[in-house]
Structure formats: C-alpha cells, structure tokens
Amino acid sequence: MNFFIKTFGCQMNVNDSEKIRHLLESKGLTLCAGEAAADVIIINSCAVRQKPQEKIFSYAGRFPAGKKIIVAGCVAQAEKQALFKKKVNVDYVVGTHQFYRIGEIIDEIAAGARAGSAVAFSRRWQELVPDARARSSPVTGFISIMEGCDNFCSYCIVPFTRGREKVRPQAAILREAAYLAERGFKEIVLLGQNVNHWRDPGSGRSFPELLRQLAHRVPVPWIRFITSYPGYHDRELIRVMAENRNIARHIHFPAQSGSTRILKKMCRTYSRSQYLEIVRAFRRVLPGMKFSSDFIVGFPGESDRDFKLTLSLLEQVEYESVFSFIYSPRPRTRAAALVQELPAAVIKERLYALQETQAAIQLKNNRRLLGETIEVLIAEKHPRKAGEVIGRSESYRVINFASRTRVGQFTRVRITGAGPHSLRGEEYRE
Ligand code: SAM
Ligand code: SF4
C-alpha cells in the first residue's frame, strides 16, 4: 500500500508527520511523492486559525471516492463531528494523542471498516523516535521535548487540541539527540509549546540544565529550541547560552502584542516592560543576541495606541523575523466571547503596517551585513536555479549563493546583496 502525507502547520506538525511516516514505513508501506499514486492520504492538520482550517476541509474534499482519507492532528481533534457532517470523503479521524495507532487504523480501513475515529487524550508520554530516513530534512532534526499546553492564552485553541502539558524525560531526549548527531545532522531543534517550562519528570532538572547537557554531550554545531514563553524566562538560560557556543544565539520569543493592556486580555503573564527587560538582559551578556516573534493584530479591544505600542516594540527589539496573524476567534477559547468591534479593513491595514515596519527593520539589519563574511549552513539546493543553494545563518536569515559545497555542510559566505527577506552572497575561498 502507498501513502502520502500532507502537512499543514508548524514544526511540531512536521515532526508528527515524520513520526507517522516512520510508523508506516516500519510496517512496509511506501511513501509516494504525490497524492495521485497514493492509496491512503493522511492529512496532518492545524487548527490554530480558522482560515487555514478551512483549507484543510477543502483539501480533504477534493479526492475521488476510492481514495482512503485520514485526517490527523489538531483539526481532527477539534472538528471530528464537522468533518463527518460536511460529507467530505473522510475514512478516519485520528486525534493528536492517537496517531501512533495509525498503522492498525490503516489495517482496519483496508479490511473494509466503516468510517471511524480515535480522539481520546492520554496523559502518558508516547515515546517514538522517527528514523533518520523518515525525517523531512537530512540537516535539521526535530526533537519533541513536551506536548500540549496549560497556559490557556485567551485566544488559543492549542490546550483543547493538543491537551494538557506533558513532558518527555531527559534521558530519552539525550538519546534522540545523540542518534541525530551520529547520523550527521547539523542542527537539532527542540520542540514544545513552552520549551522553557520543561522540567525532567524524574530529577526535576530545568530547561537550561537540559540545554547544558545537550551542549556538552551532543556534537551538533547548532542547538535550537522553539517556542520560549516570556512568562517562564529563567536567567540561567542566558548563562547557559553564553557558556556554550553550540547553542544558536537566536531565540523565538513570541510577544503577541506590545501593549500590556492587550497582553492582560490575552492572559499572557508578562508585561511589555518585563519582556523588554528580558531582551536587554540577553543583550547585556550576549550583545549579538537575535530575536524573532509572533504577533496577533486586531485582538478585540486593540486601540490605535495599543497597536502603535506593538510597532514600537518591533523597532526597539529589531527582530530578525516576525510571524504576524490577524486575530481569529476559536471555539472554546475565552476570547471567543468577546465582541469584535474593529472593522476588518482596519485590522488588515494594521497587519500591512506591521509587515511594512518589520520589512524595513529586516532590510536595515540585512544591509549591515554587506561586505561581511558569515558562517552559513547549506540547507538545500535552490529548487529552480541550477548551481545555486539556499543557506541559513545562525539567526536563521536566508542566504542565496552559487556553490558546489554539499547540502548539510557549513561554508563561509561574503554578503554582496541585501533585501528585506534574504541575502545574496559569494562563497568565500582563501
Ligand atoms: N506556544 C507558542 C506561544 O505561546 O507563543 C505558540 C503557539 S501557536 C500554535 C503559534 C502562533 O499562532 C501564536 O504565537 C500566535 O501568534 C498565533 N495564534 C494562536 N492563536 C491564534 C488566534 N486565535 N488568532 C490568530 N493567531 C493565533
Ligand atoms: Fe497557545 Fe498560549 Fe499555550 Fe502558546 S502558550 S500554545 S499561545 S495557550
């Protein structure tokens, strides 16, 4: 039997798809490059915002009868009833805590079982390490260190789709990291909704201590982690990063808003000034420390002044990159009960203004690099330009250049061109 996995959403969903691929390949099934040749299509879905969720419904609806369709992940968890009601040809719905059963589920479907679902939550950590060949990249290895979330930010559906927070023991994390290092991965990315809330269930060791262990014991050049919650910041993290050069000096640190008033309404547990104090604390010790962030615009009650505070936060922190989203009301969340008084046109204007401000900041940051030579990890061959590759800097900037160096190798690149979203360079040869 052949299968195809379509992944929507963040790195966590990509990592879940790697696990699904691993499970199915271990059972002897074959992954195909496209939907056409597949007997089973697994849609690994994201429910964070309404619009992307709708895309999943329309994607699921476009296949002829006869193809077996499994919807897995967050939409499966949150919208099981709707998926069956909409008369989309869905054979099985598999929730976020049940995908490790996907092999048996495919056997049931092949044996002619009727449409069904598996969406129960479990408090137990399900240990599952995808093989190197089941990974989406031969260079970057994802390692899940925790799942779910107990924060209940007022806009967010994640605690309802991924369940309560559960953590993975340190020993298992170290084993997976060592496995990736042995297979030549050049960077590892620790994944979780709030990685800086991780604590080893046995010893009580904190996240900075986990990083220290990884940095000492695992020979990968870049260790990254995503996402850090500003309300859980621990000063020890700065010390560990300063002591260990193999922890990338870049942190994804979602602020969501620059206004303390809106942060309170979002149930985020830090203020603008506390957030800025953490940024300053990092830069006092690590002057080159880089930040990226997520922002939501048009949260109910966001005034012009609140929005200007968000723009001024962008200017103050000078982020490397920013993901910005229009607020989307989500079922079961506290904010869903708030009345949205802002006109859609105003919200859109704010989104564009935020994106323009950030593009100008990135252009300025990128121009500062003109003429400099920086270390770059070659992430992939350029999909359209022969002889060109796409590389990433330590702070995750994109650099395009001509190279014969292999994917997965580090090289030095002299920066010759700078746009807001990428850099151009020449490979440096002594
Ligand atoms: N746990 C991470 C944190 O607290 O920053 C992020 C998790 S969430 C999957 C990724 C991003 O989606 C959030 O940082 C937020 O900016 C955005 N997001 C979540 N819920 C949203 C909503 N209802 N409307 C718009 N954007 C939303
Ligand atoms: Fe959602 Fe907040 Fe948890 Fe992030 S911390 S996953 S935004 S509830």
Side-chain angles (χ1 to χ4, degrees):
M1 215 182 216
N2 296 328
F3 69 96
F4 176 76
I5 308 178
K6 178 79 178 176
T7 309
F8 292 88
C10 60
Q11 285 106 322
M12 220 167 278
N13 290 42
V14 172
N15 186 230
D16 287 346
S17 292
E18 294 172 342
K19 292 177 180 174
I20 293 173
R21 175 175 170 188
H22 169 86
L23 286 168
L24 297 184
E25 287 183 336
S26 316
K27 249 180 95 65
L29 276 69
T30 310
L31 178 77
C32 359
E35 292 95 328
D39 305 306
V40 185
I41 294 170
I42 297 145
I43 305 169
N44 191 5
S45 58
C46 169
V48 166
R49 286 165 296 120
Q50 178 68 27
K51 265 218 180 117
Q53 177 174 306
E54 281 161 14
K55 268 199 218 155
I56 289 155
F57 281 100
S58 69
Y59 178 80
R62 73 182 206 209
F63 298 105
K67 285 253 190 243
K68 301 294 179 197
I69 310 288
I70 298 178
V71 179
C74 294
V75 174
Q77 195 70 49
E79 299 286 342
K80 178 186 123 185
Q81 310 297 351
L83 275 162
F84 287 128
K85 244 194 254 154
K86 285 202 172 180
K87 296 211 173 70
V88 181
N89 160 35
V90 171
D91 292 277
Y92 224 97
V93 167
V94 185
T96 50
H97 291 198
Q98 296 290 327
F99 68 75
Y100 64 93
R101 288 189 45 216
I102 204 148
E104 308 159 32
I105 289 170
I106 288 184
D107 287 342
E108 282 176 36
I109 296 174
R114 289 180 42 209
S117 63
V119 293
F121 277 136
S122 148
R123 294 302 295 257
R124 261 193 34 236
W125 179 268
Q126 187 68 41
E127 183 61 17
L128 181 55
V129 177
D131 269 357
R133 72 187 185 116
R135 307 262 174 172
S136 50
S137 156
V139 182
T140 303
F142 296 121
I143 301 180
S144 173
I145 68 164
M146 60 204 298
E147 276 176 8
C149 182
D150 291 346
N151 279 12
F152 292 91
C153 300
S154 64
Y155 51 82
C156 185
I157 198 170
V158 168
F160 306 102
T161 57
R162 288 201 168 262
R164 305 304 296 264
E165 186 174 285
K166 50 183 173 182
V167 292
R168 185 179 187 192
Q170 170 174 286
I173 298 170
L174 289 173
R175 264 199 308 276
E176 183 168 355
Y179 168 80
L180 293 173
E182 269 166 31
R183 276 158 186 75
F185 281 75
K186 292 301 187 318
E187 57 179 2
I188 56 172
V189 186
L190 308 180
L191 298 178
Q193 295 299 344
N194 301 291
V195 286
N196 54 346
H197 199 227
W198 178 93
R199 227 166 234 295
D200 182 51
S203 64
R205 277 208 189 95
S206 66
F207 179 66
E209 191 50 39
L210 170 67
L211 276 181
R212 185 175 278 127
Q213 294 289 324
L214 286 164
H216 288 182
R217 294 211 219 154
V218 181
V220 271
W222 281 343
I223 298 172
R224 302 179 185 277
F225 46 92
I226 185 169
T227 301
S228 301
Y229 180 72
Y232 294 137
H233 176 67
D234 171 351
R235 268 179 289 171
E236 185 62 10
L237 176 64
I238 303 179
R239 196 167 313 140
V240 172
M241 290 178 84
E243 285 166 4
N244 295 285
R245 202 56 199 90
N246 54 344
I247 305 175
R249 290 183 175 174
H250 168 249
I251 185 169
H252 188 62
F253 206 49
Q256 310 298 355
S257 168
S259 156
T260 301
R261 200 179 74 84
I262 294 297
L263 288 172
K264 275 204 182 120
K265 284 176 175 256
M266 289 176 164
C267 302
R268 302 284 283 186
T269 55
Y270 51 89
S271 63
R272 172 194 177 92
S273 59
Q274 284 166 332
Y275 182 93
L276 280 169
E277 183 41 45
I278 300 170
V279 172
R280 279 193 291 271
F282 266 108
R283 286 183 171 153
R284 271 196 296 274
V285 179
L286 298 165
M289 185 70 194
K290 306 284 194 245
F291 294 83
S292 57
S293 182
D294 297 346
F295 285 96
I296 296 177
V297 296
F299 189 80
E302 182 189 72
S303 66
D304 256 344
R305 182 170 179 279
D306 293 317
F307 178 63
K308 287 202 174 104
L309 284 165
T310 292
L311 295 185
S312 82
L313 188 70
L314 295 184
E315 305 273 8
Q316 263 180 275
V317 180
E318 292 202 324
Y319 292 105
E320 289 290 281
S321 61
V322 150
F323 294 100
S324 47
F325 309 102
I326 286 182
Y327 167 69
S328 166
R330 306 306 291 124
R332 300 176 68 190
T333 60
R334 261 185 273 180
L338 300 175
V339 179
Q340 177 59 284
E341 280 167 352
L342 286 166
V346 170
I347 300 176
K348 267 200 183 140
E349 262 171 40
R350 286 184 186 170
L351 182 73
Y352 296 145
L354 188 155
Q355 290 173 344
E356 267 177 30
T357 304
Q358 180 57 24
I361 292 167
Q362 287 176 199
L363 184 61
K364 192 169 71 178
N365 283 343
N366 282 346
R367 280 187 177 151
R368 282 187 192 135
L369 285 179
L370 284 171
E372 301 227 347
T373 300
I374 61 169
E375 191 173 39
V376 173
L377 175 59
I378 302 186
E380 55 181 314
K381 286 188 177 159
H382 198 290
R384 289 178 304 279
K385 295 184 194 160
E388 288 256 322
V389 294
I390 302 175
R392 293 273 181 182
S393 71
E394 183 175 356
S395 65
Y396 233 64
R397 293 191 204 183
V398 175
I399 302 111
N400 295 297
F401 57 104
S403 174
R404 288 208 197 125
T405 308
R406 274 190 303 149
V407 167
Q409 301 299 307
F410 282 91
T411 186
R412 294 187 65 73
V413 177
R414 200 175 69 83
I415 303 303
T416 54
H421 303 292
S422 63
L423 294 156
R424 245 213 97 70
E426 281 168 2
E427 203 163 11
Y428 180 79
R429 296 194 189 281
E430 280 163 280

